[in-house]
Amino acid sequence: MNLEQKASLTSGADFWHTQGIPSADIPSLLVTDGPHGIRKQRDDVDAIGLGQSIPATCFPPAVGLASSWDPDLAYRVGCALGDEARELQVSVLLGPGVNIKRSPLCGRNFEYFSEDPFHAGRLGAAWVQGVQSRGIGTSLKHFAANNQETDRLRVSADVDERTLREIYLPAFEHIVTSAQPATVMCAYNKINGTFASEHHELLTEILRDEWGFEGLVVSDWGAVSDRVKAVAAGVDLEMPPSNTDAEIVDAVRSGDLDEATLDRANTRLLDLIRRTSDGRQADPPIFDRNAHHAVAREAAAASAVLLKNVGSILPLAPGQSIAVIGEFARTPRYQGAGSSQVVPTQLDNALDAITEIAGADHVRFAAGFTIDDAPASARLLTDAVQAATASDVAVLFLGLPAEAESEGFDRTDIDLPVAQRELLDAVQQANPNTVVVLSNGAVVEMSWDTKARALLEGWLLGQGGGHATAELLFGRISPSGKLAETIPLRLQDNPSHLFFPGGEQHVRYGEGVYVGYRYYDTLDHDVAYPFGHGLSYTTFKLGEPIVRKTGPNTVEISLSVTNTGAVRGAEVVQVYVHDEQASVDRPEQELKGFAKVTLDPSADETVTITLDDRSFSYWSQLHHRWVTEPGAVDLRIGVSSRDIRHRARIEIDGDGIPVVLNATSTFGEWLAHPVGSVVLKETGASTQYERMSWEMRKIVEAMPISKLAALGLGMSREHLDALVAGATHEAKR
Ligand code: BGC
């Protein structure tokens, strides 16, 4: 290939195709959104053409699937997506989105999994493995720190190194290291002042050199602002094309861009073509639309979260008369707006499904409100009250209007529309047996929940959500979803509230690592519903855990889970780690393992959860690496971050990497250090210290050891130099 051809391969051919070079036998690939269904553009519409794609199964968006806490299910959804991509001759599906839900306001939260990186990483990895098992590539996005839509094309996410490593990178890291996604999509935003598309440290040093990423880095659509800088930083493919190939050619000719870098980018594209060639060769049709609809229903049922159920009002009893109220029951909100929008192959609605199960003579419907967020209407309200009054139970379908949340903008509040609140008041007064089912892509404020005897958080459940909801309401399936994000009492409680969404093209991640439950649990702050929470129609007993150390810093936890209730159901065992003593501030507890188990009544099963070295470490900004400190760790085993059933204390050995002492280390740090303390003894410094008064000792402990010399506190410069040399020598031995 000549230089021009090489340059052309680092940019797309059009909005959805990579560049092909027929003379060099290089085919062009088709890529599409993603993530929860295939959005393959029809040929007769414009490039973006939202809402005008070829029908494909709309699975629950990530907000739903994440609440299943079920990596096996995510894998199976991935397989189904992979099959659909094959049939539609799509080589790369642009997902999953694994950005952390930093604020409930982020307009794209419905496309992301969790406020917790461990959780997002586990679900995302399974999804990637599923899609890729079919020979289709994925695109792990949006790398990185793309946690808001406000000013997303310019804003700089100003985030410290530790927070980046502990919160915003681990989901990417886990998916890269365990599932090798075919591509990673760099984000629009800047990170600490540098565009993600120009971030060499992120795209090359961390992603490739540290994590071993072998695939191709593609830009988010339009994320490249400087072609040459982007290729140099590690972007292998710019999408869509900006027609600036000449800049690459010139840069290579002038020596500003190393040709080897360009060659590497080309090789990665060729690898992608090779890697996805199986998928492209499939003979359509290969997917059964009804079978995939069934998977969508199953995933939807596993994704809804039963938040409360006072007096076991749910499941609905046979023969009850039911007022189904709320336009969402008839016109479901099942996915979010923006690039992920899929045209479904079919669409269930809850009203039809409820009517089918209960019988038409047991169901009354009232729309209650319009889906466009219009003010309350007296007529709609009256009809709803009449239906509620005349029925045994009122099932009220509330939620966010489609316009409230979307890619491209953030919300400014987390409230339900006023008309819906008024409807709830009226219905509940007419019939206290009120059950609320929610449809929303991100958290809503829930102070009204006292008016609902049961509350089913349905998120956005994809095309099978209506049927799945009815099955859950009638107890044909027991709810088993768990919150993958905390529902705060008020928006202001959210730790990012003071900083979100920033201004003047900067957003400061001032809350640091205290995102979501890491903040609420550390401050013991009341929340509406905690991370990990979700009820069932049955009950589970978590047996006494057996905790076994399998290595210096690895642990295996086994416990039996028994279904102690009357119906089949599933529970999610969650393991949180609390470091009892750390040399940096750490969140009260962090999720480091979980397992979902489905059991018939009276059945039990032993679950085993393993914790690796990373479960105990923090990112040290001083040493620029993960540090595992020795000492006691409290393992908390439960069914939500606030419902801990067992605790176990273990001692971990630490990583054994000695902390390097120098002249700025304090006398106290020297004393606590295994080598430093010996050296202090040998030089007589500790004897001097022991002779001091207690208050003098406190002062000296906090002093960098160099200051002792400077202040003449019994230590000369020579003495100090000898100490440092001695400690370094000892540490090396
Ligand atoms: C979105 C990506 C999407 C791409 C292609 C961008 O605006 O951020 O998530 O994959 O468009 O539609």
Side-chain angles (χ1 to χ4, degrees), residues 211-422:
W211 299 348
F213 178 58
E214 293 162 3
L216 166 138
V217 172
V218 58
S219 72
D220 197 347
W221 267 232
V224 169
S225 49
D226 182 317
R227 276 296 288 290
V228 177
K229 280 189 187 165
V231 172
V235 175
D236 305 303
L237 174 66
E238 172 209 46
M239 287 299 282
S242 60
N243 304 317
T244 50
D245 293 350
E247 291 177 13
I248 300 284
V249 172
D250 291 349
V252 172
R253 293 223 166 97
S254 67
D256 287 347
L257 182 67
D258 192 356
E259 191 161 357
T261 308
L262 185 60
D263 289 342
R264 268 199 299 276
N266 288 173
T267 306
R268 288 173 192 144
L269 181 67
L270 299 181
D271 283 349
L272 179 67
I273 293 169
R274 216 167 297 125
R275 192 170 169 172
T276 56
S277 63
D278 260 9
R280 288 194 313 281
Q281 279 160 15
D283 267 341
I286 60 169
F287 87 89
D288 172 345
R289 275 140 184 84
N290 289 330
H292 281 200
H293 186 63
V295 177
R297 283 179 168 178
E298 183 197 342
S303 300
V305 185
L306 183 63
L307 294 176
K308 68 181 277 192
N309 190 16
V310 174
S312 294
I313 186 171
L314 288 179
L316 299 173
Q320 275 181 315
S321 59
I322 305 160
V324 175
I325 301 172
E327 186 57 52
F328 288 138
R330 181 169 63 179
T331 314
R333 244 209 98 206
Y334 60 100
Q335 64 177 332
S339 62
S340 66
Q341 247 176 99
V342 174
V343 174
T345 57
Q346 52 182 296
L347 183 58
D348 294 341
N349 74 61
L351 178 58
D352 286 352
I354 290 171
T355 309
E356 200 185 306
I357 295 176
D361 48 342
H362 286 85
V363 177
R364 291 179 183 85
F365 174 71
F369 58 88
T370 54
I371 51 171
D372 57 4
D373 201 10
S377 128
R379 188 184 55 78
L380 292 179
L381 222 51
T382 311
D383 290 353
V385 166
Q386 266 172 13
T389 312
S391 305
D392 295 327
V393 56
V395 182
L396 195 45
F397 286 78
L398 305 179
L400 291 176
E403 315 79 88
E405 48 183 356
S406 169
E407 176 177 344
F409 67 88
D410 296 316
R411 286 187 295 168
T412 50
D413 64 60
I414 59 168
D415 301 335
L416 276 184
V418 176
Q420 294 188 28
R421 296 280 303 267
E422 288 174 12

Side-chain angles (χ1 to χ4, degrees), residues 15-16 33 39 94 108 111 141-142 152 185 188 220-221 339 407:
F15 213 81
W16 299 114
D33 290 309
R39 182 168 74 92
L94 301 176
R108 242 176 145 174
E111 261 189 89
K141 66 190 188 184
H142 309 88
R152 67 172 168 159
M185 186 190 290
Y188 283 130
D220 197 347
W221 267 232
S339 62
E407 176 177 344

Side-chain angles (χ1 to χ4, degrees), residues 147-226:
N147 310 97
Q148 65 187 52
E149 292 300 284
T150 306
D151 213 11
R152 67 172 168 159
L153 287 129
R154 303 183 304 181
V155 74
S156 172
D158 296 338
V159 51
D160 67 69
E161 182 186 331
R162 177 176 170 207
T163 302
L164 199 57
R165 291 293 193 150
E166 290 189 19
I167 304 293
Y168 296 100
L169 294 187
F172 290 98
E173 179 180 8
H174 176 72
I175 296 168
V176 166
T177 54
S178 67
Q180 277 293 348
T183 79
V184 166
M185 186 190 290
C186 76
Y188 283 130
N189 51 288
K190 296 175 185 153
I191 297 107
N192 297 323
T194 304
F195 275 117
S197 62
E198 295 170 15
H199 216 293
H200 189 268
E201 186 189 354
L202 205 58
L203 300 183
T204 297
E205 291 157 51
I206 295 178
L207 180 63
R208 291 190 186 281
D209 303 346
E210 251 185 65
W211 299 348
F213 178 58
E214 293 162 3
L216 166 138
V217 172
V218 58
S219 72
D220 197 347
W221 267 232
V224 169
S225 49
D226 182 317

Side-chain angles (χ1 to χ4, degrees), residues 2 85 106 116 118 120 240 266 288 360 415 464 496 504 521 526 590 612 639 672:
N2 59 34
C106 173
D116 179 84
F118 181 88
N266 288 173
D288 172 345
D415 301 335
S496 72
E504 301 192 327
D521 290 354
D526 282 346
E590 298 182 89
D612 61 10
V639 294

